[in-house]
Amino acid sequence: MDTSMLESEIKRRERVNNHAILWREWFKVFLTVVGAKGALPVPFNPKLNFFPTLTITSKDAHLSALYKKQGDVYFRKGEFMMAHKKYTQCITHAPAKSDLLAVAYGSRGIVLCFNNYMEDCLIDIERAKKHGYPNSLKAELFMWKAAAMQKLGKKKTLIDRVLDQASRWLRSDIDRAKIIKIRGTINSIKLSEIKKLKCYNLDLTNDALPPLKSRNPTVPGLSNSVGLMYSEKYGRHIVATQDIKAGDVIGIQKPYASVVKMNMRYNICWHCKEQTWTSIPCDTCSQVVFCSDECKKQAQDNYHDIECVVLCQTMAFGMRESFYVALRLVIMALKENNNSFENLKIHTDKIDNLKDPLTKGFIEGKLDPTKFESVYGLCDLSSSSTANDQCVTYVDAIIMLYYLGKKIELFQEDRPIELLSFLISQQSFVLIVKRFLTLVQYNSCNYSLLTSKRSLTIASLIEPSFSFFNHSCCSNVIRTHRNGNLAIIAIRPIKEGEQVFANYGAYWFWQSREDRHKQLQRFHFTCDCEACEGDWSIPEVLKTPEIVKNKSFTHGGPYMNKELLGILHEYITVCTYALAYIKLNKGRYHVAKLVGDFAKFLNKEYKNYNNQSYEVFRVGKFIEELYMLLEKLFFCLSGKIDYPPLE
Ligand SMILES: [Zn+2]
Ligand SMILES: [Zn+2]
Ligand SMILES: [Zn+2]
């Protein structure tokens, strides 16, 4: 991070946080302390040298009411996705037993009814009733309930009973007119376009992700076809110990930790990462939602009991996304050590003092991906980062340790605590937290879902065994996910002794070498993969699927056979133009078979191409995209439906 980046980071934080004035002062001090050893701290405002006392009002009736109003505006405009989010925020901020809570559940239920999520609608309506929905609005609520039941084909006697209840709450002719209007609206609700996506014409009967054929004795998430090596140049890296075929699964592992992206936290269950329409709030904070009581309890037992308050407090500082991933890791590590930093330090010291770089973080000779040691032992490239960068991380570490420490009663201090003396007295713990903060920056990967148009990042994942794969711009494996697991799959035949490379998001096919290197800068290495060394040019003309359609691509090898070309073309339609394909609605694709076909093509034809060929690149990408199709999709609520304003 150079000075201008530090400046922009400060500016960003000043925009979003309530303690803007602190940053400039704190960073100034740390830049002096960290950046220039021996230099005296620059003079700065001593009043700002204290941690702010943050009184977190976790539930906030005022904010909740504001979200309700915003939700109504979006609802009237027919922007249901936003209306749903605002009503959800109203729910998370509403104090327990408040009218707002009941009303927001009711409103969200109606949004869902409009979008044909009838079961979900009924769930929210029941909650609205349970939380004391206002009598004056009950007639309408029961009408929506009856409508949803009707759409679901429930028994007439049951529906009549609900209609009876509706008429019991009817107060006036205005109500009656409204009921008639609702009835008309409900009849006109059609299966929304987006929901049709659920009926992708894909046959998923055979799971396309075969199990790991063998388990690596030292890294159990990987197969026996690869081994972990160490060299000065590559650090820890993965090498094929036997010939690997395209399509082979090289690793499957449940991530050690996964943290929902902050901008998705009102759409996605904080614990299980499922998209949820009928979320429930945390009892204490207003920042996260869960899909079920079960998930809420799991989160509470495993990390959120500590995370909850600390999350709210540190959010007031406008932290970077990676901060919250690190916070989760530190809490999980603490939980494995009886919530004691002293205990944690005994273990981290052991790892820090290990001489053998190959087995750093291993327990009894192997990696245990369920233990914090496996994460703590991962590479942390902070020594190559600039003083500015280190300074930001230092300050972040102190803030995390301070508020986390308060929560777990690491120190008992009633008087205000001074920043620098805190750093001095807690230095060894600050360094542990700082290490987690830095390793997240180098070792987290994204969990993304497809929407109808593009892929959307849902969460950040930390999975130690998959961090051992180095980057190449012409990688020979893909990272994907399936049923809550991360998976590594070969997209080329790989010869025994070859290094296995993943891709950190810089593909030779789409970006120039210069752009790729700029993008990879944050990992502190200069890529010297085959594509970078050879400075492969981007085949501009081959970028569009049109070329594939016209069968005019021959880059790097002979024509593909007609049959495969046919599949390729159809497949592009499925992947890239999913909606268009659904309209065509012909044939039925067996996904496992398609993956198999592409792998077969690669295994048979690879020798006729080189890595710098459109076909090899594209077919590999196809396999990746197919796996994305296999995973759940992220749905959006759609449609503008004319409806009178809600009271
Ligand atoms: Zn859940
Ligand atoms: Zn909470
Ligand atoms: Zn490269």
Side-chain angles (χ1 to χ4, degrees):
M1 197 184 281
D2 56 28
T3 314
S4 63
M5 279 171 83
L6 178 70
E7 187 60 30
S8 69
E9 179 63 18
I10 292 175
K11 286 229 170 82
R12 189 188 68 76
R13 290 181 185 207
E14 283 178 342
R15 269 200 307 278
V16 290
N17 82 69
N18 311 334
H19 304 282
I21 199 165
L22 283 175
W23 293 117
R24 244 159 242 287
E25 298 295 331
W26 285 14
F27 282 144
K28 215 156 58 182
V29 175
F30 278 88
L31 209 48
T32 322
V33 175
V34 182
K37 284 207 177 84
L40 286 171
V42 285
F44 76 123
N45 186 346
K47 272 193 205 145
L48 295 172
N49 193 13
F50 293 93
F51 286 95
T53 314
L54 300 174
T55 3
I56 298 297
T57 42
S58 51
K59 301 289 172 186
D60 186 331
H62 176 73
L63 254 182
S64 179
L66 190 74
Y67 286 128
K68 168 74 172 66
K69 258 191 207 144
Q70 291 175 345
D72 291 347
V73 172
Y74 282 116
F75 184 89
R76 268 178 235 128
K77 284 199 278 187
E79 291 180 29
F80 293 133
M81 202 62 197
M82 279 308 288
H84 182 274
K85 184 177 177 178
K86 291 296 168 188
Y87 290 143
T88 300
Q89 284 176 295
C90 175
I91 290 167
T92 60
H93 285 77
K97 293 185 187 129
S98 65
D99 275 4
L100 267 170
L101 189 59
V103 171
Y105 274 128
S107 301
R108 195 173 69 175
I110 295 169
V111 169
L112 292 169
C113 188
F114 264 104
N115 286 272
N116 216 0
Y117 284 88
M118 298 305 178
E119 291 98 342
D120 296 327
C121 159
L122 288 179
I123 292 172
D124 268 356
I125 286 181
E126 281 317 303
R127 288 186 188 141
K129 278 161 57 191
K130 203 179 101 193
H131 286 89
Y133 202 70
N135 289 344
S136 60
L137 299 169
K138 269 190 183 155
E140 195 181 334
L141 191 74
F142 280 111
M143 277 306 297
W144 286 108
K145 184 178 172 183
M149 289 169 72
Q150 202 174 339
K151 285 265 169 185
L152 286 170
K154 301 269 179 201
K155 269 194 206 134
K156 193 173 173 300
T157 46
L158 292 176
I159 297 169
D160 284 346
R161 210 176 299 161
V162 177
L163 287 172
D164 274 353
Q165 283 170 307
S167 49
R168 208 175 312 147
W169 291 106
L170 274 182
R171 297 287 140 131
S172 63
D173 286 347
I174 302 170
D175 271 0
R176 273 187 197 95
K178 209 150 82 181
I179 294 293
I180 292 166
K181 179 101 193 180
I182 292 175
R183 207 171 249 169
T185 312
I186 289 161
N187 285 331
S188 71
I189 293 175
K190 291 191 193 79
L191 188 69
S192 73
E193 274 298 305
I194 300 297
K195 259 205 100 179
K196 272 195 209 159
L197 265 174
K198 265 190 177 160
C199 352
Y200 256 134
N201 211 6
L202 298 172
D203 183 349
L204 304 175
T205 41
N206 268 346
D207 196 306
L209 186 61
L212 265 191
K213 281 190 198 128
S214 57
R215 289 223 170 251
N216 191 294
T218 49
V219 188
L222 303 181
S223 96
N224 232 343
S225 60
V226 293
L228 182 65
M229 306 279 180
Y230 179 85
S231 74
E232 199 65 41
K233 179 181 174 190
Y234 287 114
R236 285 198 277 198
H237 59 280
I238 300 290
V239 171
T241 53
Q242 51 184 261
D243 288 351
I244 294 170
K245 282 191 174 141
D248 281 2
V249 180
I250 294 176
I252 300 181
Q253 180 68 52
K254 206 176 155 61
Y256 173 79
S258 51
V259 180
V260 174
K261 289 273 174 194
M262 294 319 259
N263 65 336
M264 298 307 295
R265 70 190 196 281
Y266 292 110
N267 300 96
I268 301 286
C269 173
W270 190 246
H271 185 66
C272 71
K273 267 45 94 186
E274 293 280 333
Q275 183 174 13
T276 164
W277 295 118
T278 53
S279 52
I280 50 172
C282 169
D283 291 339
T284 313
C285 73
S286 50
Q287 297 305 325
V288 300
V289 298
F290 301 100
C291 72
S292 62
D293 285 317
E294 178 56 27
C295 275
K296 185 154 128 180
K297 189 179 177 313
Q298 288 280 336
Q300 198 68 15
D301 291 350
N302 288 303
Y303 51 86
H304 195 64
D305 53 341
I306 296 177
E307 178 188 60
C308 189
V309 176
V310 185
L311 187 76
C312 294
Q313 288 173 324
T314 50
M315 276 180 92
F317 288 94
M319 290 307 192
R320 294 178 283 184
E321 192 87 35
S322 56
F323 180 91
Y324 302 104
V325 183
L327 174 63
R328 176 75 60 82
L329 295 180
V330 175
I331 291 171
M332 288 170 77
L334 278 172
K335 290 249 174 184
E336 288 176 49
N337 288 282
N338 294 324
N339 285 349
S340 150
F341 266 104
E342 283 86 0
N343 287 0
L344 178 58
K345 191 172 179 320
I346 295 171
H347 287 104
T348 56
D349 279 350
K350 253 189 228 159
I351 302 170
D352 290 338
N353 292 330
L354 261 181
K355 291 282 177 297
D356 181 11
L358 185 70
T359 56
K360 227 176 179 34
F362 282 31
I363 299 169
E364 287 166 7
K366 63 186 226 178
L367 187 91
D368 183 343
T370 63
K371 292 276 192 305
F372 88 93
E373 283 92 339
S374 66
V375 174
Y376 188 83
L378 290 175
C379 78
D380 144 23
L381 303 165
S382 58
S383 52
S384 358
S385 60
T386 63
N388 281 336
D389 202 355
Q390 295 208 33
C391 147
V392 174
T393 316
Y394 247 114
V395 174
D396 286 0
I398 292 168
I399 289 171
M400 190 191 294
L401 182 67
Y402 178 76
Y403 292 102
L404 190 58
K406 266 189 113 108
K407 171 76 192 165
I408 62 165
E409 293 169 357
L410 172 67
F411 48 86
Q412 250 115 28
E413 281 281 0
D414 292 330
R415 62 191 171 83
I417 295 185
E418 198 201 10
L419 177 74
L420 278 178
S421 63
F422 180 78
L423 169 66
I424 291 159
S425 65
Q426 307 287 339
Q427 177 131 41
S428 57
F429 300 153
V430 169
L431 289 178
I432 294 176
V433 172
K434 180 174 170 274
R435 186 176 167 88
F436 279 105
L437 277 163
T438 43
L439 69 84
V440 164
Q441 290 171 37
Y442 308 118
N443 294 287
S444 71
C445 59
N446 286 338
Y447 171 57
S448 307
L449 295 181
L450 280 182
T451 69
S452 59
K453 290 193 187 78
R454 60 195 173 99
S455 77
L456 194 68
T457 302
I458 301 294
S460 303
L461 309 179
I462 298 284
E463 173 29 53
S465 15
F466 289 10
S467 288
F468 298 142
F469 291 85
N470 279 330
H471 164 88
S472 160
C473 306
C474 51
S475 39
N476 45 21
V477 298
I478 51 162
R479 277 198 286 211
T480 184
H481 38 73
R482 186 94 180 93
N483 300 334
N485 290 309
L486 266 167
I488 296 252
I489 294 157
I491 49 165
R492 314 241 191 296
I494 305 169
K495 287 244 173 308
E496 182 183 342
E498 268 184 68
Q499 188 171 167
V500 184
F501 289 106
N503 193 298
Y504 297 177
Y507 296 92
W508 75 271
F509 199 83
W510 285 321
Q511 292 161 287
S512 69
R513 182 167 66 176
E514 199 191 346
D515 288 348
R516 299 199 299 270
H517 285 192
K518 218 178 272 169
Q519 195 175 328
L520 295 168
Q521 239 168 29
R522 68 186 189 95
F523 297 104
H524 302 295
F525 74 96
T526 309
C527 185
D528 61 352
C529 71
E530 206 184 340
C532 287
E533 286 289 278
D535 198 10
W536 294 354
S537 59
I538 309 172
E540 277 297 331
V541 286
L542 292 175
K543 271 165 122 187
T544 59
E546 279 307 299
I547 305 295
V548 182
K549 204 158 73 187
N550 296 333
K551 307 182 182 185
S552 58
F553 63 104
T554 58
H555 197 70
Y559 283 101
M560 296 176 82
N561 68 48
K562 213 177 152 200
E563 186 194 356
L564 266 167
L565 197 66
I567 296 176
L568 266 179
H569 174 54
E570 292 290 314
Y571 180 59
I572 286 177
T573 324
V574 179
C575 275
T576 322
Y577 304 110
L579 275 172
Y581 180 77
I582 284 157
K583 280 180 194 141
L584 291 174
N585 207 30
K586 55 171 183 174
R588 186 165 165 79
Y589 277 93
H590 192 282
V591 175
K593 196 170 164 297
L594 259 185
V595 170
D597 281 347
F598 288 129
K600 227 181 274 167
F601 160 76
L602 286 166
N603 287 319
K604 193 162 148 255
E605 303 288 336
Y606 182 69
K607 57 182 183 302
N608 297 324
Y609 296 83
N610 56 39
N611 269 335
Q612 191 186 3
S613 77
Y614 177 80
E615 291 86 344
V616 167
F617 176 83
R618 199 64 192 117
V619 172
K621 266 324 248 180
F622 281 162
I623 294 179
E624 187 171 7
E625 285 161 30
L626 259 187
Y627 274 107
M628 281 203 85
L629 272 181
L630 283 172
E631 190 71 19
K632 283 166 207 84
L633 303 165
F634 184 87
F635 294 102
C636 295
L637 301 176
S638 69
K640 279 182 182 286
I641 294 170
D642 182 36
Y643 184 71
L646 282 184
E647 242 85 316

